[in-house]
Amino acid sequence: MTAQDGPGREQVLEWVERVATFVSEEWGLAPITGRILGWLMACDPPAQTAGEIAEAIGASRASLTTNMQLLTSIKLIRRFRKPGERNVYYQIEDDAWSKVIRQKLAAFTAFDELAAEGLKLGWPDETRTARIRSARSSIAALAEVLDQATTKHD
């Protein structure tokens, strides 16, 4: 196999497993959720049936159901039928990662509002307000970086 042929199945599955570990450790989701997500990011064709996904990642179809519903409900993957077919297919959403980033940013924005409320409590010393201000500064810096990235892509 040459570099033009792309990675072998074993390499892809090793990468999918690393995605599963990340999703589990960083997002607190089940490893199978990460396997599904990783597989749908790398598979060809990009639309797969539950049976194809289960076979590829070595999972039972029953174990996929809840995780597929989760990924569909948070709109990282979509479920659809092809015209004239009975099979249900799953495919990663084109804007899946911008959705993840927007969700995380919304959480940071909500926390920033809490931090702002904390500053209004009338602390008697700067030590405690410095810690709260540090959180707000970090969130503001992240928002600025994201704004700059968005501006460059528009």
Side-chain angles (χ1 to χ4, degrees):
M1 177 180 287
T2 66
Q4 288 101 351
D5 293 332
R9 185 174 178 84
E10 187 174 314
Q11 287 176 299
V12 171
L13 290 174
E14 286 172 4
W15 179 79
V16 166
E17 196 57 36
R18 289 194 304 275
V19 172
T21 300
F22 178 88
V23 166
S24 178
E25 291 175 357
E26 296 297 323
W27 298 345
L29 298 174
I32 190 169
T33 307
R35 287 184 193 105
I36 294 166
L37 193 58
W39 179 253
L40 287 174
M41 289 173 63
C43 65
D44 186 41
Q48 305 265 307
T49 65
E52 290 169 330
I53 296 166
E55 182 180 333
I57 65 172
S60 70
R61 287 197 50 184
S63 68
L64 284 183
T65 303
T66 301
N67 294 284
M68 298 295 271
Q69 288 173 342
L70 169 67
L71 290 168
T72 303
S73 72
I74 60 177
K75 302 202 183 319
L76 289 180
I77 64 172
R78 66 183 180 99
R79 179 183 192 270
F80 65 96
R81 283 193 166 88
K82 293 179 181 179
E85 289 190 30
R86 295 183 68 182
N87 288 330
V88 173
Y89 291 87
Y90 296 89
Q91 184 172 346
I92 193 159
E93 289 283 5
D94 293 337
D95 63 346
W97 299 110
S98 64
K99 287 178 183 176
V100 168
I101 292 167
R102 282 194 303 268
Q103 289 170 354
K104 295 293 182 187
L105 186 56
F108 278 121
T109 300
F111 188 80
D112 185 53
E113 291 170 9
L114 281 174
E117 289 176 23
L119 289 174
K120 294 177 186 175
L121 293 177
W123 302 100
D125 59 67
E126 270 298 308
T127 305
R128 286 184 262 185
T129 59
R131 294 185 302 235
I132 296 171
R133 287 181 204 286
S134 174
R136 295 202 73 208
S137 295
S138 296
I139 293 168
L142 175 62
E144 185 177 327
V145 167
L146 290 173
D147 284 345
Q148 289 173 356
T150 303
T151 303
K152 288 179 183 177
H153 288 101
D154 287 346

